[in-house]
Amino acid sequence: GEEEEKKEEEEESKSPFALPDSAGAYPMWLLSLPWYAMFSVTVPDCSKEGKEGWYLVSFFMSVVWISAITYGMVDFAAAVGCMLDIPEVVMGTLVLAAGTSVPDALSSIAVAQNGQGDMAVANAVGSNVFDIFLGLGLPWLCVLPTRGGYEVVSTKQLWPSILILAGVLGVYYFSVALNGFKLINLHGYIFLSAYAVYVVYSIVLVWRLDIYDLKGSEAVAYNTTNTTALP
């Protein structure tokens, strides 16, 4: 009786098709509505009764949608970077990395709200392992054979990027270890502040001041690729 009515009300309030409570939320809701409709039709909701066994289909369709959206985002980001004369490294480390990490962040928030902090931390660390080994290995395996077996890339920022990644892991480990491996609000401020410093470094030093001469390296790589492609 009453419990079933409460459940129905909760489901309706959580429904993405429910009208927003405030007028300011309408523009984003209208923009998101077509996506909600496509996801609702193609991705089974395993949280509903009778659809618990559809988790493999839900997982597969989620991967398909993420891949399709990411592909479009990469092309759009590359075009914007070309028009604004932003190096590919900066677009990749800031725009694309942030865009592709949004699903990871949302899933970490969801499991953290359910009291599964270990899973949230494991998701953040595991996604980087996935990105490096599969995210780089699979494209290289599929694409490089069609491009002569190799791709010319700039290595001027390789070591700085490796050192930054090692520094990020060091900050994460020691900040958590010093608090007895307990996550608190202070860690959120530390991590967000560290990311803000990284954004300033990428925009000011890497892009505007071009301390690694990335624009010159991209021009050399472009000319080399075109030269090898000639008959």
Side-chain angles (χ1 to χ4, degrees):
E2 294 181 358
E3 293 181 358
E4 293 180 356
E5 290 179 358
K6 289 182 179 179
K7 288 182 179 180
E8 291 179 357
E9 290 178 357
E10 290 178 357
E11 291 180 356
E12 290 179 357
S13 62
K14 294 180 180 179
S15 173
F17 298 102
L19 295 176
D21 296 330
S22 61
Y26 267 89
M28 183 59 66
W29 178 75
L30 291 173
L31 290 174
S32 304
L33 195 58
W35 295 101
Y36 291 150
M38 290 186 290
F39 295 156
S40 299
V41 173
T42 57
V43 182
D45 187 355
C46 299
S47 64
K48 294 182 178 180
E49 295 183 4
K51 292 187 177 181
E52 294 86 353
W54 288 73
Y55 60 92
L56 288 178
V57 178
S58 180
F59 174 78
F60 176 76
M61 291 306 302
S62 298
V63 172
V64 170
W65 273 112
I66 292 173
S67 301
I69 295 172
T70 302
Y71 183 82
M73 183 185 67
V74 170
D75 280 353
F76 180 76
V80 172
C82 183
M83 290 186 293
L84 299 179
D85 196 24
I86 302 176
E88 294 179 355
V89 172
V90 177
M91 293 299 295
T93 55
L94 289 184
V95 180
L96 297 182
T100 55
S101 297
V102 168
D104 293 333
L106 295 178
S107 60
S108 295
I109 292 173
V111 296
Q113 289 177 339
N114 292 332
Q116 297 172 322
D118 292 343
M119 186 178 293
V121 174
N123 177 50
V125 177
S127 63
N128 286 280
V129 176
F130 181 91
D131 292 341
I132 292 174
F133 291 124
L134 187 63
L136 292 179
L138 185 60
W140 288 349
L141 181 65
C142 297
V143 176
L144 291 186
T146 65
R147 297 188 177 183
Y150 71 95
E151 181 79 12
V152 178
V153 296
S154 173
T155 59
K156 292 187 176 181
Q157 204 193 6
L158 181 60
W159 277 109
S161 298
I162 293 174
L163 294 176
I164 289 172
L165 180 60
V168 168
L169 294 175
V171 170
Y172 162 73
Y173 179 81
F174 287 109
S175 63
V176 176
L178 291 175
N179 196 52
F181 293 97
K182 295 180 180 179
L183 293 174
I184 57 177
N185 289 339
L186 179 61
H187 291 121
Y189 291 112
I190 293 174
F191 298 157
L192 290 176
S193 299
Y195 183 72
V197 171
Y198 176 72
V199 170
V200 172
Y201 156 80
S202 298
I203 294 176
V204 177
L205 298 181
V206 180
W207 174 22
R208 303 305 301 174
L209 299 181
D210 196 14
I211 60 175
Y212 302 113
D213 192 25
L214 296 177
K215 296 178 181 178
S217 301
E218 289 179 359
V220 172
Y222 177 79
N223 293 331
T224 303
T225 303
N226 288 343
T227 302
T228 55
L230 293 175

